Amino acid sequence: MTAVPRDLRGRDRPDRAMATLAAVGGAYRSLARRPGRAPTPVDRTLHLRVAERVVVADGVVALRLAAPDGRPLPVWQPGCHLDVGLPSGRRRQYALTGDPADRRGYRVAVRAVPGGSGSAEMHALAVGDAVAVRGPRNAFPFVVRPRMLFVAGGIGITPIAPMVRAAARLGVDWRLVYTGRTRASMPFLDVLRSPRVAVRPDDEFGTPTDLLATALAGAAVYACGPPPMLDALRADLPASRATALHVERFSPPPVVGGRPFRLVLARSGVTLDVPADRTVLDVVREVRPDVSYSCRQGFCGTCRIGDTLICTDRAAGDRLVLDL
Amino acid sequence: MTTLEDPADLVLVARDVRFDWADLPMHWLPGEPVGTHVLNVLHLLLPAGERFFVDLFTQALPRIADPDLLEQVRGFIGQEAMHAGAHDEVLEVMRAHGVDPRPYTDQVEWIFDRLLGDGTEAFFVERLAIVAAVEHLTSVLGDWVLHADALDGAHPVMLDLLRWHGAEEVEHRCVAFDTLTHFDDSYLRRARAMVLVAPVLTWLWCRGALFLTAADPACPRRAHLVDWARLAWAGVVPNPLRLGAQVAKWFRPGYHPSQDGSTAAAVRYLATSPAANR
Ligand SMILES: [Fe+2]
Ligand SMILES: [Fe+2]
C-alpha cells in the first residue's frame, strides 16, 4: 500500500487511523473478485407513425403520433418532451401537449419557424409517415402547488396546456396568461376557455409588460416562451407576489458569431477543422467519442483540457492546440 | 387538494450556480460554533469524493449501453463537478478565517485517490457500488436538509448551498444505483459496499468535527459525541436513529432509490434557490 498520510494532529508519524483504514481497504479490495457483465444494449427508440395532422393555428401544425399496432405508449407527465429523429437525421425536442391519460398517442404542436429546418421537416410529415422518437423525458417537471400562475408565449403553450388541465383537475387556484402575436397565431385558444385565462395577443394589448401582475401571493410560476419573455419574468419575480419561477431546462444555445479555425490534437498528431457553427467539443467527439463533458455551456469544467473548456472556448487566432 | 405522482424521467443538467461568500461569518449557524463545524465537515469530505465520482463515471460512460442512462450519467457528472467546486469555495473562506482544512482534506483525498484508486475490472464495478452506496447517503442527507426547518436561521448563502446540493442529490438519486445495476445486479456487492461505506463515512464525519473544532481558535471547545444528540434534538443535524433507519432500507431486497425521497421537494427548492436562478 502507498505511504500513509501524516498524523491529523500534526504529530510526526503516519496517521494511525489512516493506516487502519488502509488495511480495511486492502481486505475489501480482495473481496472484489467477480467482474461485472458487459451491459446488454438497450434500444430506447419508439417507432411511431403520424396518426393525425391538424393545422391548429396560423403556421402551427399538431401531430398525433401512435404505434403502428396501436399498443399503449410509455407514460408521461405534464412538462415531458419527445426527442424526435427527423428524416434528415437531425433531432429536435417537442413538448407533449396532449392528455397524459391517452396512452395510445403522443400529441405535439410545431410552429413553422422561418428558416427553421427542424420545423419545416415536421410540417412536411403526412399521415402514415414513420417517425422514430425517444422519450418521453422531463426537462420541465411539474409540481402541484396551491396557487399557480402559468405564463405561455406563443408556441410555449404546448407544455403549459397539460399543466393547466392537471391544475384545474386537482383543485389548484390557478391563472394563465397566454401571449402571442395575434389570436390567429395562438393554438388551443378554443380549449383554454375559462375566466382564469387571460389571452393577450400583442396586436390587441401591445407587448406585455406586467406578466406577473395576476400572480397570487406565494404562487409558483410555470413559464414557457421566447427567451426575452423568460428574462423579463426572471427580472420581475422578486418584486412580484410570486415566489418561485419554473422554466424548462434548455439544451445549449447554438454557436453564433464563431470563426472557423484549425484544431491540432498534439498527442495524437491529428489536425481537424472546426467550422464557424460548431464547437471544439463537437469536432473532438467525432474522433474521440469518449471525451468528457457535461454542461456544454462552459461552466461545469468536466470538459477541460489544459486551459481550454472545449465545450465553449474557441481559438483566439486561427489555430488551437489541445494536449490530446 | 390531491397531488400528482412524483415527477419522473427527469433530464439532469448541471446548474450554473454562483455564491457570494463576502459576508459569511465563521460560525454561520448563529450561536452554534460546534454545530457549524459538524456541518462544515461536509465541505471537507465531499469534494474529493465528488471528483472521484466524476472520474469513475467518466470512465464508465463509453461502456454504458443504454442511451437514457448515458444522458443521466452525463448530467450527474456535471452536477457533481459543480458541487465539488462550490464546497471548495467554502474551504477558501475557512482559510481566510484562519482554519486550515488541509491536514484533513489531504487524508480524504488520499482515501479516494489511493485506497479507492485504480484496480482490476472487478474493482471497477466494486467502486461503482461504493459510489451508489455513498449516493444513497447523500440523497438521504439531501432529503433531510430540504426539510430541516431548524436550519432556516443559518446564513442564507450557506443554507442555499446546502439545499441546492441536497436538492440535486435527491434529483439524481437513482443514477449511481442504475449505473451499478447496469454492470452488475449482485445483491451481495451492493450490501457489502454499504457495510463499508456507512461506518467509514460516519467515522470520518465525527473525526472531521473533532478536527475542525480543534483547528478553529474561535471555537470555545472541541466537539463531543453528546453534541450529536444535542444538535439532532435541535434539528440542525440529522437524527442518527432516523438516518440509520433510512440507510437500512438499502439492504431490502428489491430496493430502488426511486422508492424514497421526493423529487417534487427538490424541484420546488431549485425553483427558488438564489444561486441556481441568477
Ligand atoms: Fe454531490
Ligand atoms: Fe450525488
Side-chain angles (χ1 to χ4, degrees):
Chain A
M1 196 51 64
T2 50
V4 172
R6 225 164 65 96
D7 179 75
L8 187 60
R9 295 169 67 184
R11 285 165 293 202
D12 188 23
R13 61 170 195 227
D15 193 285
R16 284 180 187 157
M18 289 297 123
T20 313
L21 196 57
V24 172
Y28 181 79
R29 201 181 268 254
S30 69
L31 291 175
R33 293 230 180 81
R34 206 162 55 82
R37 57 172 175 236
T40 350
V42 185
D43 185 4
R44 300 273 180 187
T45 312
L46 297 170
H47 298 278
L48 307 181
R49 270 175 206 292
V50 178
E52 201 183 287
R53 180 187 187 278
V54 190
V55 177
V56 286
D58 283 356
V60 181
V61 161
L63 300 172
R64 184 181 149 87
L65 308 175
D69 57 3
R71 93 195 112 81
L73 301 173
V75 292
W76 61 279
Q77 297 165 312
C80 281
H81 65 263
L82 281 186
D83 186 76
V84 180
L86 296 164
S88 65
R90 274 186 276 259
R91 306 201 70 88
R92 290 288 186 276
Q93 284 83 43
Y94 295 103
L96 287 165
T97 192
D99 177 2
D102 170 15
R103 297 287 311 279
R104 310 263 163 198
Y106 289 144
R107 194 166 192 239
V108 296
V110 184
R111 175 180 301 288
V113 188
S117 41
S119 63
E121 283 189 69
M122 288 294 277
H123 274 239
L125 290 171
V127 171
D129 283 357
V131 187
V133 309
R134 267 182 50 202
R137 309 287 304 165
N138 199 345
F140 195 10
F142 175 64
V143 176
V144 177
R145 307 292 290 149
R147 292 165 169 184
M148 306 187 78
L149 172 67
F150 300 99
V151 181
I155 197 67
I157 192 66
T158 51
I160 296 291
M163 293 183 183
V164 169
R165 282 192 292 267
R169 185 165 45 82
L170 296 167
V172 172
D173 194 356
W174 63 274
R175 303 282 184 279
L176 164 65
V177 181
Y178 183 12
T179 69
R181 280 178 297 112
T182 61
R183 267 174 209 274
S185 73
M186 296 162 69
F188 311 136
L189 284 177
D190 48 336
V191 293
L192 292 167
R193 274 183 215 282
S194 157
R196 295 173 182 272
V197 179
V199 178
R200 293 278 178 275
D202 297 351
D203 64 343
E204 294 171 35
F205 294 86
T207 313
T209 49
D210 53 349
L211 290 169
L212 297 176
T214 55
L216 298 164
V221 181
Y222 274 74
C224 188
M229 184 191 99
L230 301 180
D231 291 342
L233 285 171
R234 217 168 269 126
D236 294 347
L237 187 78
S240 77
R241 277 168 295 177
T243 49
L245 176 61
H246 297 255
V247 296
E248 189 163 11
R249 312 295 315 276
F250 285 109
S251 39
V255 182
V256 284
R259 283 190 314 153
F261 57 93
R262 303 280 275 174
L263 175 66
V264 183
L265 306 185
R267 252 187 290 160
S268 41
V270 180
T271 303
L272 302 159
D273 283 311
V274 181
D277 61 346
R278 301 189 72 201
T279 64
V280 173
L281 173 64
D282 291 338
V283 173
V284 169
R285 275 178 73 197
E286 282 172 10
V287 291
R288 293 290 185 83
D290 300 354
V291 72
S292 173
Y293 70 93
S294 180
C295 75
R296 289 192 287 163
Q297 295 175 61
F299 62 83
C300 84
T302 56
C303 70
R304 185 186 299 279
I305 297 174
D307 291 330
T308 310
L309 290 172
I310 62 171
C311 69
T312 45
D313 288 353
R314 306 185 72 80
D318 51 9
R319 222 170 83 101
L320 181 70
V321 182
L322 288 180
D323 183 26
L324 203 66
Chain B
M1 194 174 72
T2 23
T3 51
L4 284 182
E5 65 224 77
D6 210 32
D9 304 314
L10 253 57
V11 174
L12 299 173
V13 195
R15 292 174 177 82
D16 187 9
V17 290
R18 302 278 159 85
F19 299 95
D20 180 4
W21 298 115
D23 62 352
L24 183 78
M26 180 71 211
H27 303 137
W28 47 263
L29 209 51
E32 195 45 90
V34 173
T36 296
H37 285 308
V38 170
L39 291 175
N40 270 342
V41 177
L42 295 169
H43 308 304
L44 278 65
L45 199 48
L46 293 174
E50 286 165 328
R51 297 211 167 87
F52 171 81
F53 299 180
V54 170
D55 288 348
L56 183 67
F57 279 66
T58 301
Q59 285 174 48
L61 270 175
R63 302 170 54 178
I64 293 176
D66 174 343
D68 281 2
L69 181 62
L70 193 83
E71 267 177 36
Q72 287 173 25
V73 170
R74 184 82 65 203
F76 168 81
I77 289 171
Q79 291 191 342
E80 293 296 4
M82 293 304 290
H83 299 168
H87 289 290
D88 278 348
E89 289 176 16
V90 182
L91 297 186
E92 281 304 318
V93 181
M94 290 168 74
R95 255 176 230 122
H97 284 289
V99 175
D100 178 18
R102 272 290 290 280
Y104 186 88
T105 53
D106 279 352
Q107 295 195 348
V108 180
E109 273 161 32
W110 176 80
I111 292 170
F112 284 103
D113 291 352
R114 300 303 181 89
L115 293 189
L116 297 174
D118 290 330
T120 58
E121 170 62 21
F123 197 57
F124 165 75
V125 186
E126 200 74 32
R127 287 187 292 169
L128 291 178
I130 290 171
V131 177
V134 176
E135 282 286 292
H136 178 65
L137 303 184
T138 57
S139 78
V140 167
L141 290 175
D143 192 62
W144 169 77
V145 80
L146 286 176
H147 296 100
D149 300 339
L151 286 178
D152 287 350
H155 188 272
V157 179
M158 181 60 83
L159 188 61
D160 188 30
L161 178 145
L162 294 175
R163 291 201 170 140
W164 153 73
H165 188 171
E168 288 193 348
E169 291 302 325
V170 171
E171 186 184 43
H172 72 220
R173 68 192 181 279
C174 299
V175 177
F177 188 97
D178 289 344
T179 307
L180 170 63
T181 50
H182 192 61
F183 288 95
D184 181 31
D185 50 14
S186 151
Y187 174 80
L188 181 71
R189 183 156 357 226
R190 97 166 137 87
R192 164 166 89 200
M194 187 59 89
V195 169
L196 176 82
V197 161
V200 169
L201 281 186
T202 308
W203 170 69
L204 282 173
W205 197 340
C206 296
R207 187 174 156 85
L210 286 175
F211 167 76
L212 279 177
T213 46
D216 174 11
C219 188
R221 58 183 178 82
R222 295 189 79 194
H224 191 272
L225 261 186
V226 179
D227 282 312
W228 205 296
R230 181 179 64 81
L231 295 165
W233 181 255
V236 295
V237 305
N239 178 323
L241 297 177
R242 218 174 292 160
L243 208 59
Q246 279 174 296
V247 170
K249 288 185 185 171
W250 177 262
F251 294 99
R252 276 198 319 234
Y255 177 76
H256 189 267
S258 60
Q259 297 160 6
D260 267 325
S262 160
T263 305
V267 167
R268 273 202 302 272
Y269 183 74
L270 290 167
T272 58
S273 157
N277 295 279
R278 290 171 308 110

